[in-house]
Amino acid sequence: MRNIILPEPLVFEWDSGNLNKNLIKHTISKDEAEQTFVNENLIWNDERHSNEEVRYNLVGLTDADKILFISFTVRKSKVRIISARPADKKERKIYEEEI
């Protein structure tokens, strides 16, 4: 399912508005969201939301074994997380079947 090569070194860039939004709305910290990129994950293009720039979706595992859904883009060799939330039932099933 992976069809993107992440930039190396893996550097994250956060929009100040999104940084706290994920914590307040979904109780997902910046560190938890970033952990999913280095732990086991699935990544695919998000063609539905890629009107102005290429976006990707990731379903991955945190160090605390939470399965998260992440929406992100890559800008100037930096990963920019747009949204992070707990994976829903369908996303968890896909992750568990693929990994």
Side-chain angles (χ1 to χ4, degrees):
M1 200 173 238
R2 179 182 293 262
N3 53 9
I4 175 179
I5 297 173
L6 294 173
E8 288 187 27
L10 194 55
V11 176
F12 294 92
E13 177 181 72
W14 285 86
D15 176 272
S16 59
N18 285 347
L19 189 57
N20 291 324
K21 178 185 81 172
N22 296 312
L23 185 60
I24 293 166
K25 189 172 181 182
H26 302 293
T27 66
I28 304 298
S29 72
K30 171 185 176 290
D31 292 337
E32 283 180 304
E34 292 177 3
Q35 290 165 10
T36 62
F37 286 82
V38 295
N39 294 335
E40 298 237 38
N41 63 52
L42 301 171
I43 299 175
W44 65 94
N45 282 37
D46 180 1
E47 295 175 10
R48 197 167 159 204
H49 296 101
S50 293
N51 297 332
E52 296 178 23
E53 64 185 349
V54 179
R55 288 196 181 180
Y56 304 95
N57 294 324
L58 175 149
V59 176
L61 199 62
T62 68
D63 292 348
D65 293 330
K66 290 184 193 176
I67 300 174
L68 303 183
F69 178 90
I70 310 288
S71 175
F72 72 97
T73 191
V74 176
R75 292 184 187 165
K76 299 180 184 176
S77 299
K78 293 181 182 176
V79 174
R80 187 174 181 99
I81 295 177
I82 298 163
S83 176
R85 62 170 172 74
D88 66 24
K89 185 176 180 179
K90 181 180 175 184
E91 294 156 351
R92 285 192 311 271
K93 183 177 181 193
I94 292 168
Y95 176 82
E96 290 164 357
E97 288 175 354
E98 294 287 329
I99 296 293

